[in-house]
Amino acid sequence: MKYTPTDVAGVTIVDIEPDRDNRGFLSRSFCSTEFNGHGLISVVAQTNIIYTYTRGTLRGLHRQPPPYAQAKLVRCTRGAIVDVAVDVRLESPTYGKHVLVQLSADNRRAVFLPPYVAHGFQTLADNTEVLCQVSGCHPVADEQGFRWNDPEFGISWPLRVSVISEEDASWPLSAPVERVAS
């Protein structure tokens, strides 16, 4: 696998490196030894499948506050998304920055997000499926959210938002962030 750091501390793009033959290809999509070697959390406590019906649907921005450290490995297995990671860790040298990464079934790319980074995505195709491996379980009631269109983040989503949950649409602007160590 190929690991590419981004402009947000700890957020890493993970690309597969397929071994091809006349049948197709074989590639690892996760290896705990390699993840550890690149300083990424390699524990997988839970795997989630997120299926979205409509192009333009926006999910997020969410994060787990302390003590629920939760790293994520996000991969699109059907359709396409633009995934966004926003650094809301006050102690981080990249606080306030964000990165957008296009993930699709065709490019087979994944993105790793360290704990306490806010995460969201917008679907670029109807009937999109996302696979999300997380390093820890958490009570949903403890999730924090940040407004998807907060001017402080300056995220340029690629499409008009066609569907968004009431919860995601109503997170406050510039929501307070608990102090966490990076």
Side-chain angles (χ1 to χ4, degrees), residues 47-62:
T47 300
N48 303 315
I49 296 173
I50 306 157
Y51 190 87
T52 306
Y53 300 114
T54 308
R55 177 180 189 263
T57 298
L58 195 135
R59 293 179 181 261
L61 302 166
H62 309 130

Side-chain angles (χ1 to χ4, degrees), residues 56-159:
T57 298
L58 195 135
R59 293 179 181 261
L61 302 166
H62 309 130
R63 79 151 191 175
Q64 293 312 124
Y68 305 107
Q70 187 181 72
K72 295 179 181 179
L73 182 65
V74 181
R75 180 180 308 279
C76 183
T77 55
R78 179 178 179 178
I81 65 171
V82 166
D83 199 81
V84 66
V86 181
D87 196 344
V88 294
R89 302 167 294 176
L90 292 174
E91 306 294 326
S92 173
T94 58
Y95 174 79
K97 288 189 177 185
H98 71 274
V99 62
L100 285 97
V101 180
Q102 186 168 335
L103 308 177
S104 70
D106 291 336
N107 72 16
R108 297 180 182 89
R109 175 170 271 181
V111 64
F112 173 86
L113 296 94
Y116 310 124
V117 169
H119 173 251
F121 66 85
Q122 185 178 41
T123 57
L124 301 176
D126 290 342
N127 301 309
T128 292
E129 185 175 273
V130 173
L131 184 71
C132 185
Q133 294 173 292
V134 295
S135 65
C137 301
H138 68 280
V140 175
D142 289 329
E143 186 172 68
Q144 285 183 335
F146 302 89
R147 183 80 64 87
W148 64 276
N149 61 351
D150 192 322
E152 291 296 318
F153 301 145
I155 300 168
S156 294
W157 296 98
L159 302 174

